[in-house]
């Protein structure tokens, strides 16, 4: 069985090298994640088990960074969550972005609350607004915009500013 994993891993790594700037590389990242996750399920050696799970997480995250709107993005998040390994604040931020893009605001909120406020405040403000919690949204914006507006991407910054501007006249 290990020979099969190693052979498949080599093929997908070759694809990643041969097609560096293409969808094939992105898809290969997903399949390398699946291979390593499956290998981990079959592994008895705890050191190798953790190593394979960590590699699987790395490949799934590469897919998410390259294709956050990709057809396998949700599956990557599910796979990462099922690995049972510790996640850091950057992991939670990336996962939160995928949930947010898929309108899963409850899980996005939970993930963003485990990530750096400097990166996640705009998403959290937008989630509060979408949930009708305008006051919380405004407070979060007003507290964090002056400090962290340079830490978020332009599209998210524009969206949070527009959301703030739309609710500000309401004062609610």
């Amino acid at each position: 069985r290990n020979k099969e994993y190693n052979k498949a891993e080599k093929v997908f790594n070759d694809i990643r090298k041969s097609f560096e700037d293409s969808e094939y590389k992105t898809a290969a990242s997903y399949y390398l994640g699946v291979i390593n996750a499956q290998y981990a399920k079959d592994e008895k050696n705890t050191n190798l088990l953790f190593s394979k799970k960590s590699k699987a997480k790395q490949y799934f995250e590469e897919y998410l960074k390259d294709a956050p709107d990709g057809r396998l993005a949700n599956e990557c998040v599910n796979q990462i969550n099922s690995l049972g390994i510790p996640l850091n604040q950057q992991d939670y931020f990336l996962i939160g972005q995928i949930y947010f893009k898929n309108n899963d605001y409850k899980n996005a909120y939970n993930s963003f609350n485990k990530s750096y406020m400097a990166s996640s405040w705009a998403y959290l403000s937008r989630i509060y607004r979408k949930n009708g919690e305008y006051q919380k949204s405004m407070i979060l914006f007003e507290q964090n915009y002056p400090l962290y507006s340079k830490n978020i991407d332009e599209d998210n910054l524009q969206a949070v500013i527009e959301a703030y501007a739309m609710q500000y006249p309401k004062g609610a």
Side-chain angles (χ1 to χ4, degrees):
R1 189 113 165 127
N2 288 353
K3 285 183 183 181
E4 293 173 21
Y5 288 129
N6 291 336
K7 185 177 178 182
E9 194 169 15
K10 182 184 178 334
V11 168
F12 284 111
N13 273 318
D14 288 345
I15 290 171
R16 283 169 47 93
K17 289 175 189 163
S18 298
F19 300 97
E20 286 188 24
D21 295 323
S22 77
E23 292 177 7
Y24 296 120
K25 177 188 176 255
T26 304
S29 294
Y30 169 77
Y31 290 111
L32 282 164
V34 170
I35 289 165
N36 280 278
Q38 187 60 48
Y39 192 122
K41 287 180 183 176
D42 294 343
E43 186 54 51
K44 305 291 184 242
N45 178 323
T46 54
N47 289 336
L48 193 54
L49 171 77
F50 185 77
S51 172
K52 289 297 180 181
K53 285 183 175 187
S54 295
K55 280 179 80 173
K57 180 176 111 84
Q58 174 189 337
Y59 286 125
F60 291 132
E61 287 180 342
E62 284 180 25
Y63 179 95
L64 293 174
K65 289 173 186 170
D66 290 344
D69 296 323
R71 67 182 180 86
L72 299 170
N74 287 334
E75 180 58 25
C76 287
V77 169
N78 292 338
Q79 289 275 358
I80 291 169
N81 288 332
S82 73
L83 290 171
I85 59 175
L87 302 178
N88 62 37
Q89 292 185 358
Q90 289 174 326
D91 299 332
Y92 284 114
F93 180 74
L94 181 60
I95 290 169
Q97 288 178 303
I98 304 306
Y99 284 136
F100 188 89
K101 287 179 187 212
N102 288 288
N103 302 320
D104 183 350
Y105 300 121
K106 179 182 179 201
N107 282 319
Y109 176 84
N110 291 335
S111 293
F112 287 132
N113 270 316
K114 296 175 185 173
S115 69
Y116 297 107
M117 181 58 74
S119 303
S120 62
W121 69 270
Y123 284 109
L124 288 168
S125 179
R126 292 170 63 195
I127 290 169
Y128 282 134
R129 186 177 190 302
K130 289 179 183 297
N131 290 336
E133 298 179 73
Y134 300 112
Q135 192 65 35
K136 286 182 180 180
S137 175
M138 288 176 61
I139 290 169
L140 199 60
F141 180 91
E142 291 168 356
Q143 288 176 345
N144 290 283
Y145 177 81
L147 300 171
Y148 304 126
S149 61
K150 296 200 183 326
N151 293 12
I152 60 175
D153 66 81
E154 193 173 313
D155 290 339
N156 195 18
L157 182 60
Q158 182 179 348
V160 75
I161 290 171
E162 287 174 2
Y164 179 78
M166 287 173 45
Q167 74 190 32
Y168 189 80
K170 294 178 185 171

